[in-house]
Amino acid sequence: MKIDSGTREKKAIRDTLFSNSISKQECPLPCQEGLIGWCVLPFSAVTTFQADQVQGSTDVSERKAVGGCFECCIKCLGGVPYASLVATILCFSGVALFCGCGHVALTGTVSILEQHFSTTASDHALLSEVIQLMQYVIYGIASFFFLYGIILLAEGFYTTSAVKELHGEFKTTACGRCISGMFVFLTYVLGVAWLGVFGFSAVPVFMFYNIWSTCEVIKSLQTNVTVPGDQICVDIRQYGIIPWNAVPGKACGPILENICNTNEFYMSYHLFIVACAGAGATVIALLIYMMATTYNYAVLKFKSREDCCTKF
């Protein structure tokens, strides 16, 4: 059978259009004349097939988008400075406990001294001024560490992203390394200072514990008539917080027991304990900051060298 040139052109067009989309199978419709062994689907069938192809490509794109989003989330989580984040939360909690509880406990301490150990205002005037100054210092400590914790957390995000090279090629500047080194030095200084604050906050806990333990001894001796409770006293003047000429300066027997039963004594004692614990938590937070900032600074300093060939 002789096939003319027009038929060859139609066959070539047919092969181009349907070779990758329509399989060689029997059509439900009769074949058009001039196309040997093949049938031409109506326009509606071709449109439906193209829609299926588009839907398939859309599903692939969605899968790629989902995978890309997941990888992006993993990448972002990898850049989180978890050590600095934990240290920031611990630092905020410790400073809040120390400042809040310490402020209220100091106010209660002044009230106890004025009512029971130093009835003359001139005897404890210096102590009142010192306590008022310490309360103002507490305000400054709370404000400073709130800002310093946020700055250290931001610096942790920067150095962690730089160390892990999460945002393209690794780049660092001398200014950035200098700022990181400054934070390392400042954190070490603050850590040493807070060790002193932690030790200082344990002094009122020790004083209140001695008073409380003396009251417990008085209660236990109430059944023993051979040892009168009036002979058991607590002299606040021996701690050096009020002068020796302060009147009365000490409390004995039932008077001391009544002091221990007051709400001011109970609250001040426990608030000083919580404030001491807050100072300890702040020391731990600063130690974590020290390790994190020192490590990040060392890695940044090492990777900034031109002869660096090791990847951490």
Side-chain angles (χ1 to χ4, degrees):
M1 181 176 61
K2 184 177 181 182
I3 302 176
D4 55 2
S5 60
T7 302
R8 291 193 183 92
E9 292 178 358
K10 292 180 181 180
K11 186 176 183 301
I13 295 173
R14 189 277 319 277
D15 293 338
T16 303
L17 292 175
F18 300 102
S19 60
N20 297 325
S21 60
I22 303 176
S23 60
K24 297 181 180 181
Q25 60 183 357
E26 182 179 358
C27 292
L29 300 177
C31 297
Q32 294 184 0
E33 182 179 358
L35 298 178
I36 301 175
W38 288 85
C39 64
V40 179
L41 294 176
F43 178 76
S44 60
V46 177
T47 305
T48 303
F49 178 79
Q50 292 176 348
D52 294 338
Q53 289 291 97
V54 172
Q55 181 65 30
S57 62
T58 304
D59 295 339
V60 174
S61 301
E62 290 179 353
R63 287 195 297 269
K64 290 182 178 180
V66 172
C69 183
F70 177 75
E71 293 176 357
C72 181
C73 292
I74 295 299
K75 184 178 181 180
C76 292
L77 291 176
V80 175
Y82 294 102
S84 298
L85 185 61
V86 172
T88 301
I89 296 174
L90 192 61
C91 181
F92 284 171
S93 302
V95 171
L97 290 176
F98 173 79
C99 294
C101 296
H103 185 277
V104 179
L106 288 173
T107 304
T109 302
V110 173
S111 178
I112 293 173
L113 289 174
E114 291 176 349
Q115 295 178 11
H116 304 285
F117 295 98
S118 180
T119 56
T120 305
S122 59
D123 292 339
H124 59 269
L126 179 61
L127 178 64
S128 299
E129 293 179 359
V130 171
I131 289 179
Q132 187 176 9
L133 179 62
M134 292 174 61
Q135 290 177 336
Y136 285 119
V137 171
I138 284 175
Y139 298 146
I141 290 175
S143 303
F144 172 78
F145 271 90
F146 177 75
L147 296 177
Y148 189 70
I150 294 177
I151 293 174
L152 280 183
L153 183 61
E155 196 267 345
F157 272 99
Y158 160 73
T159 52
T160 302
S161 300
V163 167
K164 294 185 178 181
E165 303 181 15
L166 296 177
H167 303 291
E169 184 180 357
F170 173 79
K171 292 182 180 180
T172 184
T173 60
C175 181
R177 295 191 299 272
C178 181
I179 293 175
S180 297
M182 180 191 68
F183 280 123
V184 172
F185 174 75
L186 185 58
T187 305
Y188 270 86
V189 172
L190 291 174
V192 174
W194 267 96
L195 282 175
V197 173
F198 176 65
F200 179 77
S201 63
V203 174
V205 176
F206 172 73
M207 294 171 54
F208 274 84
Y209 174 76
N210 285 339
I211 298 174
W212 174 81
S213 61
T214 305
C215 291
E216 292 298 318
V217 172
I218 295 176
K219 292 179 182 179
S220 65
L221 293 178
Q222 289 178 351
T223 57
N224 189 353
V225 294
T226 59
V227 181
D230 295 340
Q231 297 180 3
I232 300 177
C233 303
V234 170
D235 195 343
I236 297 297
R237 295 173 295 185
Q238 64 182 347
Y239 295 107
I241 59 178
I242 56 176
W244 281 102
N245 58 355
V247 178
K250 64 179 182 178
C252 302
I255 298 176
L256 180 60
E257 187 177 356
N258 292 332
I259 293 174
C260 294
N261 292 330
T262 59
N263 186 45
E264 292 176 347
F265 178 85
Y266 179 83
M267 289 296 297
S268 298
Y269 178 36
H270 289 84
L271 286 175
F272 273 125
I273 294 176
V274 176
C276 184
T282 305
V283 171
I284 295 174
L286 290 174
L287 289 176
I288 298 175
Y289 274 136
M290 289 180 196
M291 293 184 290
T293 54
T294 304
Y295 170 78
N296 289 332
Y297 174 76
V299 174
L300 288 177
K301 186 71 175 178
F302 178 76
K303 298 186 72 174
S304 64
R305 296 170 51 186
E306 295 181 356
D307 57 344
C308 173
C309 60
T310 303
K311 291 192 66 177
F312 283 85

